[in-house]
Amino acid sequence: MLTLILLFFLLNIPLLVASFIYPRCFWSMKKNEYQDRNLGTGCMFFILAVQQPVKKEYFSHISNIQTLTENQKYPLALAFSMNEINNNPALLPNMSLVFQFSEYVCFLESQYKHLFSLDLQNHEILPNFICTEDIKCGVVLTGLSLVTTVTLHIILNNFIFKQFCHLTYGHFHPVLDDHENFPHLYQMASDDTSLALALISFIIHFSWNWVGLAISDNDQGTHFLSYLRREMEKNTVCFAFVNIIPVNMNLYMSRAELYYSQIMTSSANVVIIYGDTGNTLAVSFRMWDSLGIRRLWVTTSQWDVTPFKKDFTFDNGYGTFGFGHRHSEISGFKYFVQTLNPFKYSDEYLVKLEWMYVNCKILENKCKTLKNCSFNHSFEWLMTHTFDMAVIEGSYEIYNAVYAFAHALHEMTLPNVDNLLLDNYKEQYYNCKKVYSFLSKTQFTNPVGDTVNMNQRNKLKEEYDIFYNWNFPQGLGFKVKIGIFSPYFPKGQQLHLCENLIEWSTGSIQMPTSVCSADCGPGFRKVWKNGMPACCYDCSPCPENEISNETNVELCVQCPEDQYANQEQNHCIHKARIFLTYDEPLGMALSLMALCLAALTVVVLGIFVKHHRTPIVKANNCTLTYILLIALIFCFLCPLFFIGHPNSATCILQQITFGVVFTLAISTVLAKTTTVILAFRVTAPHRMMKYFLVSRASNYIIPICTLIQIIVCAIWLGASPPSVDIDAQSEHGHIIIVCNKGSITAFYCVLGYLACLAFVSFTLAFLSRNLPVTFNEAKSMTFSMLVFCSVWVTFLPVYHSTKGKVMVVVEIFSTLASSAGMLGCIFVPKCYTILCRPDRNSLQMIKEKSSSHTHIL
C-alpha cells in the first residue's frame, strides 16, 4: 500500500505542485488603536459537552465584547468549529459542544499572572469557567506562552481538578511533550523537525550560505538550533551569528545593544527568526527593523509584520519570507461570523481581525499605486473587491483541537449512546483520564480533507507553505504564497517555488546575496581560512595544467595527458600532435640537404667509375672506394627515416640503418687504411708482408666488422626494440611524437662500437699519414675520422640536453655532418685532381714522382 502511495506521489508531482502553489494573495490592515496586537497576549477556553441542542445563536454572545483585540479571531474560530460539529448528525449525536465566553478569555499574559497569584481555591478567577457541583473535568484549550502554560497546568492539576485534558495551540514546546510531567496535556502543533530542512532548502535555492539566527533562550529555541545546525552541516551553510535572546526582559535590555551590533556588523543579509511572538524576541525584531536594518527576514508565519497606521517601520526594502504549516482553506468562515452579528461584524470590522485573501490578479496593476495611497483610499479600494477571511495557523489548530475532542468523546460515548438520558441543559462530564485515553489515540480526517493524528509519535512530517510579506504605508500589508515545501517529495524536489510569483511580489527576480566569501569562479579553487567556518574561504588559481569549470570547487581537475589547460584554466584543450614533417621549413631543409648530399655522393661515384682506369683511382683500391661511396649514399639517406610521422617500422629502420650503414662506412675506411699500411710494408726492404697484401686480407675487415654490428642490432631488436613514443611534457600545448630508443644500453653499444672503429681507423690513418706511397690518402682519412669523432663526441651532451623534436634534429644533423665530413675529407681532393688537375693523374707524373723519391732516398 505504501509503495502505491509513493508511486502516486512520484507520478503526480507536477499536478500536486500546481495545486499547492495556487496563487493566494492575502492582505491585512491595522490601525494604531490595536497597538498591543499579539504581543504578550493569549487565550484560554474551557470546552464542555452538553446533552442538549445548541443553535448558532448561542455563539452570538461573542459579539458582546467591547474591547477589540487581534486575538478575537480565536473565539470566532472556536465557535465556528463548534457550530459545524453541533450541526453534524454523524458526530456526537444527542450532544453539543459549548463554552462560556467573556471579554477576559484573550488578554495580556501579565493579567493571567495576576489572577494566578490570587486565591487558588477561588474558581471564579478563571475566565469562562463554569463552576457547578457535579463538575468532574474541564477540557481546557490554551494558546499561552510556555511559562504561563506550565503555571496554569500546575494550578488546574493540583488545586482545581485532579484530572483534566489540556490542549494547546500555537508554537510546539518540547518541554510540554514530556508525558510523565504533563500526562494530560497535548499540543496541537507539530514539532518543527522538518522546518529546519525546509529553511535550508530555501536558503540553498537562492545560493545563500551565510545567515544569521535569532532565537529565544529556551528549550524551544535550543531544539530548533540543534535541528537547524544539523541540516546546515549537511549542506555547507554557516552561521554568521547566533543571537540567543534571553526571556527575562531586564537581562535582555542589558544585552540589547550587543545583539544590535552583531547584526549591524555582520555581512549576512539573511536573518532567520524563530520563537514565540509574545516575548523579548519579538521586541528585538521590532527594534531592529525600526532602526532601519536592511535585512531579509526568514521566519514562521506566526510573525505578523504588518505595521500600524502612522507606524510604517517594516518596509525594509527586502521584505519577509514566512513558513507556515500547509492546510486546506476552510470555506464559510466569514459567512458564519457575519451572521452572528451582521451589524457589528461588517467588512470594515473583520479586516482588523484576520488576514483576508483575494484574487492575485486584481492586485497586479494596483499594488504599485497603493504604496502612494492614503489609508482610507487603500481601504475603500480593497473593500470593493470580494474577499474572504483566511484561517491561519492558530485558528486552524483550534479548529482541529475542537474536532479532536469531539471525535474522542464520540468514540467514548458511542457504545453507550442508547443508554444516555436526554436531560435538557444538564451537563455531562466524563472522567478526563478516560477522555485523554481516547484523545491520544484519535485519528480522523477533518471536513476540509486534512488528516489529523493526535499521537505525536505517529504524526506525519509537516509540509509548509511559503509566503512573501511586504508592507505598504498606513498599516496595509500584503503576503503572497510563492511556493511549498514537502518532505514527501524525492530529495532535490522537495522545495517548489513559483519564480514568476516571486518576481511579481518582490518586484525583482534578483534576490540579495548572503555569502561569507564571493564565489570562486572557473579557474579557481576554494582554500579554507584557518579558524573560520567552512563557508569562508579564499580563491586560489588552479595549479598548472589543472582546471575548474564550475564555481566553488574544492579541487581542480588534472587535464588528461593529451590535453592542456587554457590560459583561464577553465577548459582543457587537446594538444596538437607534432613531429618533424616535410612540410615545415626545418624538415624541408634537412630532407633537401640529405638528398643533395646523397646526389653529390652519386656524382662522385660516377666520376670515379668514369675514371676508374686513372692512376689515382687504381692506387686507392677502387673496390673499397666504391663500397665507401655507396655506404655514404645510404648514410645521407638515413635521416629521411627521421622525418615524417613515426611508426614502428620507421623507428626500427632509423637505428638499425644508422648503425649498420655507418659501420660499413667506417670499416671501409679502416680497410683502406690497413691496405695502405700493408702496401708500404710490402715495398719496404727486408719485409715479408706480400702474402697479406696478395691474399687481400684487408677485405675481410668490412664483413667481419659489419657482422658484429648486425649481431648487436639483432640483440637490440630482440631485447627492447625502438618504438613510437608520445612526449606530452616537453612542450606546453603539444604532444611530440618521437621514436623511443627502446634499450638505451643497446643504443650506446651501437655508438660505442662505432666509436671504437672510428678511433682505430683514426689511429692507423694518423700513423700512416707520412708514408711515401703514391696518392697516399692516409691524411685524408685522418681528417675524416677526426671530423667524425668530433661530431659524435659533441652529439652526446647536446642530445641529452634536448627533448622532443630538437633531439631528432640533432641526431639528423650529426648524421649528415659526420657523413659529409668523410665525403669532403676523403673524396673532394681526389675529385679536384681528377677534374681540375688531370696532369697529376697521369702515369708519366707518377714515374717522375717515383724517380724523384728514389733519388732522394
Side-chain angles (χ1 to χ4, degrees), residues 531-602:
M532 294 295 289
C535 304
C536 302
Y537 47 81
D538 292 324
C539 295
S540 176
C542 289
E544 184 179 358
N545 207 38
E546 293 186 10
I547 66 160
S548 64
N549 54 9
E550 298 178 357
T551 58
N552 296 332
V553 298
E554 299 178 8
L555 295 173
C556 297
V557 180
Q558 179 78 34
C559 286
E561 279 197 4
D562 60 341
Q563 299 178 23
Y564 68 99
N566 61 350
Q567 187 174 0
E568 293 78 15
Q569 290 188 280
N570 58 7
H571 180 65
C572 288
I573 303 175
H574 283 279
K575 294 181 178 179
R577 293 176 173 264
I578 61 171
F579 47 87
L580 190 61
T581 65
Y582 294 102
D583 297 330
E584 60 181 302
L586 185 59
M588 190 179 298
L590 291 175
S591 60
L592 185 61
M593 187 184 301
L595 291 174
C596 290
L597 290 173
L600 179 61
T601 307
V602 171

Side-chain angles (χ1 to χ4, degrees), residues 203-230:
I203 288 170
I204 293 174
H205 176 82
F206 291 106
S207 301
W208 300 326
N209 64 10
W210 190 240
V211 298
L213 175 67
I215 58 174
S216 296
D217 188 8
N218 53 25
D219 193 61
Q220 178 190 19
T222 303
H223 274 72
F224 176 74
L225 178 60
S226 65
Y227 294 146
L228 189 63
R229 196 185 297 276
R230 182 168 61 246

Side-chain angles (χ1 to χ4, degrees), residues 4 268 271 289 331 426 496 516 584 586 631 761 763 766 773 792 797:
L4 292 176
V271 179
D289 208 77
S331 60
K426 184 177 180 181
H496 297 274
C516 179
E584 60 181 302
L586 185 59
S761 299
T763 302
F766 180 78
V773 180
W792 287 104

Side-chain angles (χ1 to χ4, degrees), residues 392-631:
I392 57 175
E393 286 187 51
S395 302
Y396 187 72
E397 289 167 4
I398 292 175
Y399 184 81
N400 284 333
V402 176
Y403 267 94
F405 180 59
H407 278 277
L409 285 177
H410 183 82
E411 293 296 324
M412 187 177 69
T413 60
L414 187 60
N416 302 318
V417 67
D418 295 331
N419 299 326
L420 289 175
L421 298 177
L422 296 178
D423 187 2
N424 290 338
Y425 302 105
K426 184 177 180 181
E427 299 164 354
Q428 297 293 326
Y429 300 96
Y430 300 92
N431 184 279
C432 284
K433 186 175 182 180
K434 190 174 183 181
V435 173
Y436 184 81
S437 175
F438 280 91
L439 184 64
S440 61
K441 297 181 291 184
T442 299
Q443 180 175 346
F444 61 94
T445 301
N446 64 17
V448 295
D450 294 340
T451 300
V452 180
N453 191 340
M454 298 300 290
N455 189 333
Q456 188 72 30
R457 295 181 179 179
N458 296 332
K459 275 193 174 182
L460 299 175
K461 293 181 179 180
E462 288 289 345
E463 297 176 311
Y464 292 91
D465 288 331
I466 305 172
F467 302 94
Y468 179 77
N469 301 267
W470 82 104
N471 301 297
F472 293 85
Q474 306 296 332
L476 177 62
F478 281 96
K479 69 176 181 180
V480 179
K481 180 179 174 182
I482 61 170
I484 64 162
F485 174 84
S486 176
Y488 303 107
F489 289 155
K491 188 175 181 180
Q493 302 179 24
Q494 295 170 321
L495 180 72
H496 297 274
L497 296 176
C498 192
E499 300 292 345
N500 60 335
L501 285 178
I502 297 177
E503 182 179 5
W504 172 73
S505 58
T506 62
S508 173
I509 200 171
Q510 184 68 32
M511 299 298 291
T513 60
S514 188
V515 294
C516 179
S517 301
D519 289 338
C520 293
F524 293 85
R525 60 188 176 94
K526 296 193 294 187
V527 179
W528 278 270
K529 300 177 181 179
N530 292 331
M532 294 295 289
C535 304
C536 302
Y537 47 81
D538 292 324
C539 295
S540 176
C542 289
E544 184 179 358
N545 207 38
E546 293 186 10
I547 66 160
S548 64
N549 54 9
E550 298 178 357
T551 58
N552 296 332
V553 298
E554 299 178 8
L555 295 173
C556 297
V557 180
Q558 179 78 34
C559 286
E561 279 197 4
D562 60 341
Q563 299 178 23
Y564 68 99
N566 61 350
Q567 187 174 0
E568 293 78 15
Q569 290 188 280
N570 58 7
H571 180 65
C572 288
I573 303 175
H574 283 279
K575 294 181 178 179
R577 293 176 173 264
I578 61 171
F579 47 87
L580 190 61
T581 65
Y582 294 102
D583 297 330
E584 60 181 302
L586 185 59
M588 190 179 298
L590 291 175
S591 60
L592 185 61
M593 187 184 301
L595 291 174
C596 290
L597 290 173
L600 179 61
T601 307
V602 171
V603 171
V604 172
L605 178 60
I607 292 173
F608 273 73
V609 170
K610 183 177 180 181
H611 300 86
H612 67 280
R613 295 183 180 279
T614 59
I616 195 172
V617 177
K618 289 181 177 181
N620 293 289
N621 194 332
C622 60
T623 303
L624 293 179
T625 300
Y626 295 156
I627 293 174
L628 180 58
L629 287 172
I630 292 172

